Amino acid sequence: MKITDIFKNTDRTVFSFEIFPPKKTSPLESITGTLFELCAIKPDFISVTYGAGGAMLGNNYTRMLASKIKNEYKIESMAHLTCVYSSKEYVDSELLAFKKEGIENILTLRGDINPEIERLNDFTYASDMARYISQKDSYFDLCGACYPEKHLEAKNLAEDVKHLKLKVDSGVSHLVSQLFFDNSVFYRFLEMADAAGVNVPVEAGIMPCTNKKSIERMVKMCGATLPDKFVKVMEKYEDKPEALRDAGIAYAIDQIVDLLSHGVDGIHLYTMNNPYIARRINEAIRTML
Ligand code: FAD
């Protein structure tokens, strides 16, 4: 099923998960237990990331997992696909392979720039690949990434939102946001996007903070602001892993309840491949969706 139709056909908030494939050196089966537990929660869909910096070219884990989720576990899936290191021929071959597996949903991404890898000229931005795919084959439903606090390379949020509008006009029919810890930045972004004519559903990206180091790394990579309340939680429990995990889950639930009361289109949980955390959050919010 196309994710656009999930948004159209439900009167509740869409709830989705994101997972990442195992490293190339590990077998695909190493994620089977995680997948089984996440699928048992029955989210509306699960998206599968694609290795950064062209690292996954030639590695089929993203597609294989998206296929497994859809065809074995009967949960809708979405495959991430980056384009900055891809040729049109490569994208064509991926589309063909997706179609063979019945994978209809693609998160079209540019991908991060790695100065050590030579870029190809077929696609400069995510919108280039979105336009290419949407003009080629209406079989696919395209999603795009958006940044409530602007993309790191963008001059300002207004410019980034202008580019986002281009992405939507290129065939992207729903959006998933970068993680954020301050809901007010998300509401401000939604207002700006709406004013710019971005009129597709936007899912809020929520990452529960359960490990101080990994959150600090992510925040550095994406530039998310850390509200005082959040910093206090991390500082208080940084040396108590279980307490930090519980506090991180509580913070994420608090964020989600506020988002739901503001009528958000969807919640996209960055699960970090941790079913325990996903289960606890699901139990807390399921009746409110
Ligand atoms: P784009 O939409 O192309 O934007 C990139 C930059 O270019 C922005 O600053 C934008 O303002 C600017 N821009 C866009 N269009 C134009 C234009 N026409 N003219 C001038 N400037 C323009 N990375 C991975 O490698 N694998 C993943 O699986 C993955 N999953 C992700 C999932 C989500 C939900 C998010 C939010 C990010 C994900 N990323 C992933 C990271 C992403 O690849 C990076 O953030 C990357 O730097 C930008 O990708 P994009 O698709 O948002 O780029």
Side-chain angles (χ1 to χ4, degrees):
M1 182 191 263
K2 290 184 164 64
I3 290 167
T4 301
D5 292 329
I6 300 180
F7 280 105
K8 274 189 202 149
N9 297 332
T10 184
D11 53 3
R12 52 166 186 77
T13 311
V14 168
F15 185 43
S16 58
F17 291 166
E18 180 167 310
I19 61 162
F20 50 84
K23 288 203 171 78
K24 273 185 199 176
T25 44
S26 304
L28 190 66
E29 290 68 37
S30 60
I31 198 176
T32 302
T34 301
L35 211 52
F36 177 81
E37 289 189 59
L38 287 173
C39 289
I41 301 171
K42 297 200 182 310
D44 288 298
F45 70 91
I46 298 181
S47 82
V48 188
T49 65
Y50 190 84
M56 291 291 276
L57 295 183
N59 182 321
N60 302 327
Y61 277 6
T62 300
R63 177 171 15 98
M64 288 159 83
L65 278 177
S67 172
K68 224 174 170 34
I69 292 165
K70 179 167 176 125
N71 299 311
E72 285 181 33
Y73 294 99
K74 309 292 179 203
I75 300 286
E76 198 44 69
S77 66
M78 174 165 80
H80 296 204
L81 185 63
T82 64
C83 64
V84 73
Y85 297 105
S86 303
S87 63
K88 284 184 177 165
E89 289 72 29
Y90 178 79
V91 170
D92 287 348
S93 69
E94 281 292 286
L95 296 181
L96 203 64
F98 285 157
K99 220 171 175 173
K100 269 195 192 147
E101 305 285 342
I103 300 163
E104 291 170 88
N105 301 293
I106 305 176
L107 176 48
T108 52
L109 295 151
R110 182 196 71 178
D112 283 327
I113 308 290
N114 179 344
E116 286 169 19
I117 302 179
E118 198 184 337
R119 287 174 66 170
L120 300 178
N121 296 320
D122 282 359
F123 307 105
T124 308
Y125 302 111
S127 54
D128 297 329
M129 180 163 71
R131 196 177 317 105
Y132 180 72
I133 299 175
S134 61
Q135 286 174 356
K136 200 177 169 64
D137 199 337
S138 61
Y139 177 80
F140 296 104
D141 190 46
L142 305 182
C143 178
C146 63
Y147 302 83
E149 298 184 72
K150 87 170 185 65
H151 183 258
L152 275 181
E153 292 164 32
K155 258 194 260 152
N156 51 51
L157 188 57
E159 186 193 80
D160 207 26
V161 167
K162 203 174 83 190
H163 297 147
L164 185 62
K165 166 78 171 125
L166 271 177
K167 187 149 58 177
V168 169
D169 291 345
S170 303
V172 159
S173 60
H174 53 106
L175 299 164
V176 175
S177 92
Q178 181 59 283
L179 62 92
F180 59 90
F181 298 103
D182 179 352
N183 287 0
S184 66
V185 301
F186 185 70
Y187 301 139
R188 183 182 54 142
F189 161 77
L190 286 184
E191 274 175 23
M192 282 181 76
D194 187 51
V198 174
N199 52 9
V200 296
V202 184
E203 280 195 275
I206 297 295
M207 180 177 281
C209 157
T210 54
N211 173 318
K212 190 167 179 258
K213 275 211 179 90
S214 71
I215 287 289
E216 279 172 351
R217 202 182 57 234
M218 288 299 298
V219 163
K220 207 168 154 205
M221 273 165 59
C222 74
T225 326
L226 297 181
D228 280 353
K229 184 178 159 188
F230 182 84
V231 174
K232 284 214 168 69
V233 168
M234 288 216 293
E235 285 174 354
K236 179 153 176 72
Y237 300 114
E238 63 182 312
D239 299 321
K240 296 182 179 165
E242 278 192 1
L244 181 64
R245 180 199 64 198
D246 289 346
I249 291 172
Y251 190 94
I253 292 169
D254 203 35
Q255 255 193 298
I256 295 172
V257 172
D258 182 68
L259 287 160
L260 293 174
S261 69
H262 279 75
V264 69
D265 297 314
I267 302 289
H268 188 70
L269 194 67
Y270 293 103
T271 68
M272 306 302 287
N273 291 9
N274 187 326
Y276 173 79
I277 291 169
R279 208 165 36 241
R280 283 200 38 197
I281 291 179
N282 176 62
E283 278 161 11
I285 63 148
R286 197 73 187 199
T287 58
M288 299 175 216
L289 292 173

